[in-house]
Amino acid sequence: MKGLEITLDKASKVKLYHQLYLAFVNAIEKNELPEGTKIPSIRTLSEEYNISRNTVTKAYSELQANGYVYSLSKSGFFTKSPSEESPEKPDIPPVLAEKDSIIPTVDSIIKERMKENDTEEIPALLETATDSRQHKKPELFIMKDPFSFGTSGEETEIEEPPFQKDGKADEFSGKESANEKTEAESSPEEAFVASAATAIKEYKKLLAETDNADPMGEEFLRIAIASFLYQFHHIDADASQIIISSNKENLLFKLLMLDEFKKTAGLHGLLQLAEKSIGHTQKEKEPSISIVSLNGSSLGTVFQTAGFSVNSVAVNSQKPLSAALEETRCSAAFIYSNDFGFGQEQRVQELLDWLKKEEYRYVIEYDTSTQPGEIQSIYRMKKDRCVYLSNFSHLISKSVSVAIAVLPKNLIASYKKRYACLESPLSLLSQIALTDYLKKGKLTKYLSGIEQI
């Protein structure tokens, strides 16, 4: 690259994306890359230095967040001084800034990661990289882009279901070979152990990686989870808004530490500034959360540890739910999906009325259902103010501790900023194993079998 020589040390403990970030910062601050210089595209830099696009994207995101570059749609990235304003056109995420950007898939992500380790190993997991969301009829599949932020994502019809050469259908066809029937009849624990064995056997070099650990969880697993959620409960989640953790307690604590959840029902905005200007100071009120349920919750200690006062509100109380929540002066409500199912439309509307009244309010919806099929989800009704929480331990086994959350876009931005230096607490082995487990349809088959008993 003209004006800049980049040296990357793959053996270093410093992550590759941060080495790349520091190289650009140093060049910009020394004016080796003058203001307004166009820097290489993600694809170009990836190919030039034989690193994954994910690594370059992370570096560019850091540069953009700290004011060293700005991006223009279909034009690329340009250098700037952190003290200077960006052009009038708003910056856009790096993955959307280039004409040659493509939507990532399980296939493309793992291929890029394999490339960084100088291997051409393409394991069996890549053979089922499509994101099937829904059946309309046996010979028709509906494909939907899990990265679309739009509400009316375009759908593409594929007339023939994908069959392998030996006549065995893939995981979404509904047909099984003799081997698959044996696997389907095994316990969920045994099936998951088989996926873990596949991960160890076929992904040795990927497991040896020390770079690119994403605090949100690996992208290929988030895509698989987005697909599963749509098949399981018709939850239309963007993979880019999914957080993966080792357990729900860890995940909830991290979420509650975000500034958006720390707002209280006291004075806000200009009123708060006016009070301070005339010398009136108000003792900071601790944030409050209400657990809305029929049978209480064991998660109260997590909320208290995060610094919240905890209130209990009965779903079946005589007074309207909106009024009961107003009395607690809470800024967040924790609910269970099962308590707001079909037949509870009035309670659902009362909860939504409370939520919409103040912009700082959020609902955390915990889905504990093990029955496939559409649910009446608050997240589906109010995606910008609701966190959807689920736990795979009650779907697979208590020994498989994996929790996920689907966050509104503004909370995702805060989460990334706050926890950028951390890695996902779920091991890479567990993430690859769960990806294999989901993409082969093992969990869907198991849950469907339970329903038929």
Side-chain angles (χ1 to χ4, degrees):
M1 174 182 170
K2 188 176 180 180
L4 176 63
E5 291 187 7
I6 300 175
T7 302
L8 298 176
D9 181 5
K10 293 185 178 182
S12 172
K13 292 183 178 181
V14 179
K15 295 184 181 295
L16 286 179
Y17 83 88
H18 196 62
Q19 292 182 46
L20 192 58
Y21 165 79
L22 292 175
F24 275 103
V25 168
N26 187 52
I28 292 170
E29 290 183 345
K30 291 182 176 180
N31 205 35
E32 293 172 1
L33 293 176
E35 186 174 339
T37 301
K38 184 175 181 178
I39 60 177
S41 69
I42 292 173
R43 172 180 289 179
T44 299
L45 208 60
S46 169
E47 293 176 351
E48 183 176 349
Y49 289 94
N50 195 31
I51 55 179
S52 74
R53 292 189 192 185
N54 191 40
T55 296
V56 183
T57 300
K58 280 188 175 184
Y60 280 18
S61 294
E62 288 292 308
L63 289 167
Q64 189 170 327
N66 292 306
Y68 287 101
V69 303
Y70 63 91
S71 56
L72 296 178
S73 180
K74 297 184 179 180
S75 297
F77 303 91
F78 301 85
T79 60
K80 62 180 285 292
S81 168
S83 61
E84 298 293 328
E85 293 292 330
S86 297
E88 292 183 3
K89 293 183 181 180
D91 285 359
I92 57 175
V95 74
L96 302 177
E98 304 178 19
K99 291 185 286 186
D100 62 351
S101 291
I102 58 173
I103 297 167
T105 64
V106 176
D107 192 338
S108 65
I109 294 165
I110 297 184
K111 280 184 179 179
E112 288 293 323
R113 296 282 293 275
M114 292 295 184
K115 174 179 155 186
E116 272 202 342
N117 288 286
D118 298 320
T119 177
E120 296 180 357
E121 177 186 13
I122 306 298
L125 183 63
L126 307 186
E127 295 174 6
T128 55
T130 55
D131 182 28
S132 297
R133 294 291 191 93
Q134 178 184 5
H135 293 285
K136 280 193 175 179
K137 54 184 180 179
E139 72 276 10
L140 183 67
F141 285 77
I142 299 299
M143 313 289 286
K144 195 165 184 181
D145 166 22
F147 280 80
S148 171
F149 283 114
T151 56
S152 59
E154 295 184 0
E155 298 177 337
T156 304
E157 297 184 354
I158 299 179
E159 294 298 334
E160 295 292 336
F163 285 88
Q164 296 179 359
K165 291 181 181 179
D166 59 3
K168 183 177 70 175
D170 75 358
E171 69 271 27
F172 301 113
S173 68
K175 298 182 180 181
E176 299 173 338
S177 67
N179 290 336
E180 285 177 317
K181 287 180 180 178
T182 302
E183 190 175 71
E185 292 168 359
S186 65
S187 70
E189 293 90 345
E190 290 172 329
F192 189 82
V193 168
S195 287
T198 297
I200 294 171
K201 180 180 179 181
E202 300 185 5
Y203 295 84
K204 290 180 181 178
K205 294 189 177 181
L206 185 59
L207 287 169
E209 280 194 10
T210 58
D211 188 44
N212 290 333
D214 195 321
M216 295 172 60
E218 294 299 328
E219 193 172 25
F220 51 77
L221 175 55
R222 289 187 278 116
I223 292 174
I225 288 173
S227 178
F228 169 75
L229 289 177
Y230 192 85
Q231 294 177 69
F232 181 52
H233 275 166
H234 288 193
I235 299 296
D236 193 3
D238 287 314
S240 55
Q241 291 174 247
I242 292 176
I243 305 293
I244 302 167
S245 186
S246 55
N247 58 71
K248 62 183 182 297
E249 291 81 7
N250 176 285
L251 190 49
L252 271 174
F253 183 83
K254 283 183 175 179
L255 292 178
L256 293 172
M257 296 307 292
L258 299 179
D259 291 339
E260 285 80 356
F261 283 103
K262 293 295 185 179
K263 296 179 180 178
T264 66
L267 297 174
H268 293 278
L270 294 175
L271 287 176
Q272 195 174 48
L273 291 174
E275 285 284 298
K276 290 182 179 180
S277 68
I278 60 176
H280 292 177
T281 57
Q282 195 177 36
K283 186 178 179 180
E284 189 68 26
K285 186 178 183 297
E286 66 178 352
S288 173
I289 188 168
S290 290
I291 299 175
V292 184
S293 70
L294 287 171
N295 303 309
S297 173
S298 61
L299 296 169
T301 53
V302 177
F303 303 139
Q304 291 171 344
T305 303
F308 283 72
S309 62
V310 182
N311 310 287
S312 295
V313 176
V315 174
N316 55 357
S317 66
Q318 296 300 312
K319 64 178 64 177
L321 184 56
S322 53
L325 288 170
E326 289 289 356
E327 289 180 1
T328 67
R329 297 178 66 80
C330 63
S331 56
F334 181 85
I335 69 168
Y336 290 86
S337 295
N338 289 345
D339 293 339
F340 289 83
F342 294 108
Q344 295 289 331
E345 283 74 15
Q346 182 178 345
R347 290 301 190 194
V348 169
Q349 188 57 54
E350 291 170 357
L351 179 62
L352 291 174
D353 289 343
W354 169 83
L355 180 62
K356 294 174 183 176
K357 193 171 180 180
E358 298 288 353
E359 292 184 357
Y360 61 85
R361 291 174 176 171
Y362 286 92
V363 168
I364 301 175
E365 177 183 23
Y366 185 25
D367 182 6
T368 58
S369 173
T370 59
Q371 297 297 313
E374 185 174 350
I375 63 171
Q376 184 165 262
S377 168
I378 302 299
Y379 173 78
R380 291 174 59 197
M381 302 175 192
K382 197 65 177 166
K383 289 186 176 182
D384 62 326
R385 303 276 289 284
C386 182
V387 173
Y388 175 87
L389 181 69
S390 186
N391 193 3
F392 279 91
S393 64
H394 69 263
L395 294 176
I396 305 174
S397 167
K398 288 184 179 180
S399 61
V400 181
S401 186
V402 181
I404 64 105
V406 186
L407 274 58
K409 284 188 284 186
N410 66 309
L411 292 186
I412 279 290
S414 296
Y415 188 95
K416 287 181 177 180
K417 183 177 180 180
R418 186 178 186 92
Y419 301 115
C421 62
L422 300 182
E423 297 181 357
S424 172
L426 189 64
S427 70
L428 183 57
L429 172 59
S430 295
Q431 294 190 57
I432 296 174
L434 184 55
T435 302
D436 181 86
Y437 191 80
L438 293 175
K439 298 301 289 185
K440 289 181 178 176
K442 296 179 182 180
L443 184 54
T444 302
K445 291 172 186 175
Y446 168 67
L447 295 174
S448 297
I450 291 178
E451 186 182 31
Q452 292 169 9
I453 294 175

